[in-house]
Structures are given as structure tokens and as C-alpha cells.
Amino acid sequence: MAGLTFLGWKALAFLFPGDETRIRKKLSRLESLVSYTPNTPPLVHLASAGGILEMFTQNAELSIQTDSSTWNIHGRNEIKTSVLSSRQQERAGMRVHITDPVFEFGKGDSISTLATVTAKWESNPDIMVRILEFNWVKGERNQWLISSIKTRKDLEWGNKL
Amino acid sequence: MMEVELENKPPNSPSFWRRFSVGTNPVRTWYRLLCLSILAYVILKYLLLPIKVTGYSMFPTYRNGQINYANRLAYRWSKPQRGDIVIIKTTGERVTILKRILGLPGDRIRMQDGKIFINNKELNEPYIKQNGGWREREIELKSDVYWAIGDNRAISEFGKVHASMLVGKILF
């Protein structure tokens, strides 16, 4: 009986996932779309860029600090241009991992997620680690879309300082 | 009277492969395996955190690819000391940051031409190869707040770290 209840509960969770589960799935999809291997054909890059765009609101804002600069990107068009041009520049491939998301539920239809994002380029043994804040809003058909991504300082991201 | 002749057979001894895989007493072997698994879980969950160094921000002290462990109990009964190499958690413990603690709570710390001054006194750092030339205005650390930086000053980040973010001290 206990086993059946457990299975039923799991089935319900699978069929009607909560907001947190849906966002976790979106983050893993984003992770796989942003990563690419060397010698990826241009059409695949284009398809990935399209997939990435679908995850953002029309006027999404990105502010991501890299080691040497800060990417300030506004809107879907700029996101697409940035994705394609960065892949053009760095053809050797990149692997991105989004780990340990922490959820902060806001008022109404907004959720903020803090996650550790690591990026490793095939051409560089060093790894970039950033704590990114993803802000989500509900779009059409109750889909969660990213409205903004901001960088929190790695060592000082907690609010206890 | 009938005589029963007992066969003089040796007792059933398990085959070599069975003895190799589960031992002569399988129940005892499984019990040992269970105990070892629990022990490994407790050690890795509460005592040691295995880490693999990725990148060169702690070069030359630690190199890319080195395996090490964080002692999770290092700061349970004592406070971090200046010069300790610590593991700092990010939003979780799957990705951690390896840095050296240089500023302690209450310290005033600044960087000038790559040299670090703590309470207006220059810090002697024999473990670094180049100082990176950083310049940062003076800050004062609150209680339970430390200041950490990597040994490879050319590329390492630095900043304040709350005590709650420290996972432990590197083992060796």
C-alpha cells in the first residue's frame, strides 16, 4: 500500500511538475544548448541559438562578467547575435554546467534562481566559475521565461556580509 | 543387521571464485560491505570533501588536475588563521572555490601595486611568484568575515567570504 502511494505520488509529480521542477528542467536545457563541441556545423549553432532565444522574454537583460569584460545584452536580437558571434570566435567548443540552483520565490509570477555556472573552453585549461542570478517570469501558456541574468560576486554572493 | 557405509566425502568447500567474490561466509561479507559503505558515507559527508583542482588560480601551490581533500572539521573548534588554504562553497558544494585566507575579522586590508597591506603593515608572501599589480582601496572586515585570494595573482579573484561559506581547510 505504501509502495503504491509512493508510486502514485511520483506519477503525479511527473505529470504535473511544480514550478521548481519545471525551472530545473529549463536550466538543464539551457546548459545543453549553450554547450557545444568543436567543429559543430553552422546550422546546429543556429538551431541552438534559436532554442536559447525561446527561453528568454522579448526584452530580457543579461549582465555577465567574464574575466576580462562584462557582457551587457538587451533583448532577444542581441542575445542571438552574441551567441553566434562568440561561437564564431571560439570554435574549439565550450562546456557549461549549471549546478546547485537555489530558489527564491517572489510575489506573483516571478521566481529568482541563484546557480553556480561553470564554463570550460576546450582551448583553455582554466575554468570560469560564476554565481548567476536568473530571474524568471511566466509568459504565454504558463511557460517560465528568463527576464534577466545578473552576476553575483563569487565570493560575496551571500547576503550575510 | 544392515551395515551403512558412510561415504568419506570432504565437506562442501566453496569454489575459488565464490570465495573471491563473497568470501567463505557471504552473510558476514555483506555485513562488512554495509559497514564499509556507511563508514565511507559518514567520512565523505561529515569529515572529508574530495576535490579536484581545476585551473591555475592557486598556482604554483596547487596545479590543475591535483586531487585533494577538505577537512570539514577544521573550523569546528577553531577559527581560520591567516595563510590557511580553504575550500569555499558556491551555491552548493558540487563546485567549490579554493583560496588562501589573508584577512581576518577586524583587519583593515588594502592592495597597493600588488602588495597586500594588513593594518598598514605589508604582508610577506613567499608563496607567490608574481603579485599581479592590483590596487584596491582599504576595507575593514566585520566579525565572521574573512578576505581570501588565490596564489596566482595574475588571474585570481579576491574578496570577502563569510565564515558560513567555508567548507573546510585543505588537507595537504
Side-chain angles (χ1 to χ4, degrees), chain A residues 30-46:
Chain A
L30 184 66
E31 188 180 79
S32 59
L33 284 169
V34 173
S35 305
Y36 61 98
T37 51
N39 307 320
T40 303
L43 273 176
V44 175
H45 283 311
L46 210 58

Side-chain angles (χ1 to χ4, degrees), chain B residues 81-148:
Chain B
Q81 300 298 308
R82 206 183 312 284
D84 280 2
I85 295 173
V86 294
I87 308 292
I88 303 161
K89 67 177 172 189
T90 53
T91 51
E93 289 186 5
R94 282 176 66 190
V95 177
T96 52
I97 301 169
L98 185 66
K99 293 277 179 257
R100 188 185 289 274
I101 294 250
L102 291 184
L104 302 177
D107 280 350
R108 281 176 294 112
I109 189 160
R110 74 184 149 94
M111 291 172 97
Q112 196 176 311
D113 302 325
K115 292 171 189 159
I116 293 174
F117 290 84
I118 292 173
N119 303 325
N120 283 327
K121 209 172 152 190
E122 190 186 333
L123 192 69
N124 178 30
E125 297 186 278
Y127 41 79
I128 61 167
K129 290 271 183 219
Q130 48 175 308
N131 67 23
W134 294 99
R135 178 181 281 266
E136 281 284 311
R137 63 178 178 80
E138 187 172 87
I139 52 165
E140 188 169 348
L141 301 173
K142 294 178 190 169
S143 64
D144 280 340
V145 176
Y146 296 84
W147 192 87

Side-chain angles (χ1 to χ4, degrees), chain B residues 10-164:
Chain B
N12 274 351
S13 61
S15 69
F16 168 77
W17 288 111
R18 193 176 159 179
R19 268 186 287 131
F20 182 75
S21 57
V22 289
T24 47
N25 187 339
V27 175
R28 195 173 283 179
T29 304
W30 286 115
Y31 182 70
R32 269 202 298 262
L33 198 65
L34 182 72
C35 288
L36 275 175
S37 307
I38 293 171
L39 189 70
Y41 176 80
V42 169
I43 287 175
L44 295 177
K45 179 87 181 166
Y46 300 104
L47 302 177
L48 298 173
L49 174 74
I51 57 156
K52 184 183 176 193
V53 179
T54 310
Y56 292 94
S57 76
M58 280 300 286
F59 186 82
T61 316
Y62 293 100
R63 287 159 197 275
N64 183 42
Q66 272 185 288
I67 304 287
N68 213 315
Y69 295 88
N71 174 6
R72 288 177 182 272
L73 299 180
Y75 302 128
R76 197 164 176 85
W77 295 282
S78 64
K79 299 268 182 194
Q81 300 298 308
R82 206 183 312 284
D84 280 2
I85 295 173
V86 294
I87 308 292
I88 303 161
K89 67 177 172 189
T90 53
T91 51
E93 289 186 5
R94 282 176 66 190
V95 177
T96 52
I97 301 169
L98 185 66
K99 293 277 179 257
R100 188 185 289 274
I101 294 250
L102 291 184
L104 302 177
D107 280 350
R108 281 176 294 112
I109 189 160
R110 74 184 149 94
M111 291 172 97
Q112 196 176 311
D113 302 325
K115 292 171 189 159
I116 293 174
F117 290 84
I118 292 173
N119 303 325
N120 283 327
K121 209 172 152 190
E122 190 186 333
L123 192 69
N124 178 30
E125 297 186 278
Y127 41 79
I128 61 167
K129 290 271 183 219
Q130 48 175 308
N131 67 23
W134 294 99
R135 178 181 281 266
E136 281 284 311
R137 63 178 178 80
E138 187 172 87
I139 52 165
E140 188 169 348
L141 301 173
K142 294 178 190 169
S143 64
D144 280 340
V145 176
Y146 296 84
W147 192 87
I149 190 168
D151 286 355
N152 188 353
R153 299 293 155 80
I155 59 168
S156 178
E157 291 180 318
F158 49 83
K160 292 183 276 185
V161 185
H162 192 271
S164 62

